[in-house]
Amino acid sequence: MSAQESKHYQQQQQPQQLVLRATKGLGPDYFLLKLLVSALFLAAAWFLRDCCQRRDAAERLRKSIPEALLRAFRSGDAVLLLGPSFSTPLGMCPMSCRELAAVVLMKSKNSLAKITAALKKMEATNDEGYPEESLGLASEVAGWNFLQTMAASHWAELAPNSKADKQTLRRRLAAAACLPFTATLSTTWRKEYDQFFRCRVGRNFGGYSALLSKPRVDLTSAAARPALLLWPALYGGSFFASTSSSSTIPAEDGASPMTRTKREAHAEAPWHSCEEVDRILDEEGPYCIFLRDVFKSKVILMLGWPEVVPEGHLAEALSTAWAEVRARCQASGTIPQPIGYSLTTEMIPNAVEILENYGIAPLLVTGRGVISASSADELFLTLIKSRLDVEPEV
């Protein structure tokens, strides 16, 4: 090696030798500190990246809100349809009508032969008719009081008991109550609902008229507009019934308490017999006609549903209303718009089929963990409000 090459090699090795001499006496603690600093930098970089992803996903979702849904809010034609998973922790779904009816039959004090015959009859009618018809059969065999007690007990098990779950439910309800929904329809009910949806109406002519009419201009939030607990009111409707003659529902914010008698609770959940269920589900009955009128004349936003389309009589009402809307649009030469939108956090492979049969368009609210399923509905409602505030009606 020449003298010039040797000098060049020494110059290259000099920085490394300086580092070695500088760290010679530091020991392993120095390298642990260096590793910790590097980990903190990586964590900060990951956090910033995650924040940017969340912001970008929320902005994309905000821009993807259908214009037809925004127009429905501005014209007073938007209706909120809350499903059974809206008020349960982590979106847990309560037992369906058939599942609860089967459990009630198995736990009833009837003879084994009678229980077996009832289960076979219920299984035979699964492919025909509505799943809600199993409630009438279970009520006839096991008794209405036992059935409503089992339903109330199961619903209480799914109540948000922890502080975090209660706060999450209140945030969801507050986000929904801030939007100008014409009305709120719910398949379940909890005491927290009474605080945010104060104007609760019954399943009668007056209640149906209030839900179908245009909202008053002085009612600026959905909290002051009519809300209805849909039939069969399996979870929440008969919750306040007890063995005593009446039960008191505690009021909030200084309002006078509501007292519901056992007879009123009995009438609110009319599935005492198969004949009673058939009467309620009569296609020409007032309840089914009301559902079809709502789905035809309003735009539905569905939250808290395990499936995009609910089962039973609600699915039948959606299908019938959508068929009438399509026929009306075909006669007038216009393009039919979806009659409702359903929030989902998973890809729906049969979305086109659902839209074709029921007129419900799935809205995907997710993005590789950027938006969690538990906060999807709250985020979506907040983004709708921001669009309505920034883009007022022209």
Side-chain angles (χ1 to χ4, degrees):
M1 181 183 296
S2 63
Q4 186 176 2
E5 292 177 348
S6 177
K7 184 178 180 180
H8 180 69
Y9 176 78
Q10 291 178 359
Q11 289 177 352
Q12 287 181 338
Q13 295 296 320
Q14 186 176 8
Q16 299 179 10
Q17 293 175 359
L18 290 175
V19 172
L20 290 174
R21 283 197 297 267
T23 59
K24 184 176 180 180
L26 293 179
D29 293 343
Y30 169 78
F31 297 100
L32 290 176
L33 179 62
K34 191 174 181 180
L35 181 62
L36 179 60
V37 172
S38 301
L40 290 176
F41 274 111
L42 288 175
W46 180 86
F47 177 76
L48 292 175
R49 176 177 174 271
D50 184 67
C51 290
C52 292
Q53 285 184 340
R54 289 177 180 270
R55 183 192 60 189
D56 295 341
E59 184 61 24
R60 288 195 302 270
L61 178 61
R62 183 177 181 273
K63 293 180 179 179
S64 67
I65 297 175
E67 290 295 332
L69 182 59
L70 295 176
R71 287 196 299 269
F73 276 107
R74 296 182 181 118
S75 62
D77 292 321
V79 171
L80 179 62
L81 182 57
L82 297 180
S85 301
F86 186 81
S87 62
T88 56
L90 302 177
M92 294 184 296
C93 188
M95 287 189 290
S96 64
C97 296
R98 285 179 177 145
E99 292 171 343
L100 180 65
V103 172
V104 168
L105 289 174
M106 293 297 295
K107 292 187 176 182
S108 64
K109 297 182 180 180
N110 292 283
S111 63
L112 181 60
K114 191 173 183 179
I115 294 175
T116 303
L119 289 174
K120 288 183 177 180
K121 184 178 179 181
M122 188 174 67
E123 184 178 357
T125 59
N126 280 348
D127 298 331
E128 301 177 1
Y130 300 107
E132 295 88 351
E133 294 176 352
S134 59
L135 295 175
L137 178 61
S139 184
E140 288 182 347
V141 175
W144 181 85
N145 286 329
F146 183 64
L147 177 55
Q148 70 90 16
T149 301
M150 290 289 294
S153 176
H154 176 58
W155 189 232
E157 292 175 355
L158 297 178
N161 294 320
S162 67
K163 184 178 180 180
D165 291 336
K166 291 180 180 180
Q167 290 177 348
T168 299
L169 176 58
R170 288 184 175 275
R171 286 199 309 268
R172 292 177 181 177
L173 292 171
C178 287
L179 288 174
F181 285 105
T182 303
T184 300
L185 308 178
S186 181
T187 56
T188 61
W189 202 268
R190 293 197 184 278
K191 62 181 181 180
E192 290 84 359
Y193 286 31
D194 292 324
Q195 179 182 357
F196 294 93
F197 306 117
R198 300 174 183 274
C199 186
R200 180 174 167 183
V201 298
R203 290 190 300 274
N204 48 49
F205 178 77
Y208 298 156
S209 300
L211 291 160
L212 289 169
S213 61
K214 286 286 186 179
R216 289 163 44 188
V217 295
D218 58 331
L219 300 182
T220 57
S221 68
R225 293 175 180 172
L228 175 70
L229 176 61
L230 294 173
W231 187 89
L234 188 60
Y235 299 116
S238 59
F239 186 81
F240 301 107
S242 62
T243 56
S244 60
S245 60
S246 65
S247 54
T248 301
I249 307 170
E252 300 188 28
D253 297 342
S256 58
M258 297 181 294
T259 301
R260 183 169 301 162
T261 64
K262 187 175 181 180
R263 177 179 296 180
E264 290 171 337
H266 193 273
E268 191 174 41
W271 19 266
H272 331 120
S273 63
C274 294
E275 290 76 12
E276 184 72 15
V277 173
D278 292 338
R279 183 185 66 82
I280 293 292
L281 296 179
D282 183 7
E283 294 183 357
E284 300 303 321
Y287 176 69
C288 290
I289 292 177
F290 158 73
L291 288 178
R292 294 197 297 269
D293 289 342
V294 169
F295 297 152
K296 285 188 299 183
S297 60
K298 309 294 182 182
V299 177
I300 309 299
L301 179 59
M302 302 171 58
L303 303 177
W305 292 89
E307 303 291 340
V308 175
V309 177
E311 64 174 5
H313 72 285
L314 290 178
E316 181 67 23
L318 285 169
S319 178
T320 305
W322 175 236
E324 295 182 16
V325 169
R326 294 181 65 179
R328 185 176 58 198
C329 292
Q330 185 177 3
S332 60
T334 57
I335 300 176
Q337 297 293 327
I339 61 176
Y341 299 89
S342 180
L343 248 63
T344 177
T345 57
E346 300 178 356
M347 294 293 296
I348 307 299
N350 59 337
V352 176
E353 180 182 353
I354 291 175
L355 181 60
E356 180 73 17
N357 295 333
Y358 300 98
I360 299 298
L363 294 176
L364 182 64
V365 187
T366 187
R368 297 191 62 180
V370 175
I371 302 173
S372 63
S374 60
S375 60
D377 47 9
E378 180 185 348
L379 172 63
F380 189 75
L381 293 170
T382 304
L383 293 176
I384 290 178
K385 189 174 188 305
S386 68
R387 286 285 300 271
L388 294 174
D389 293 340
V390 176
E391 306 168 14
E393 183 179 5
V394 180

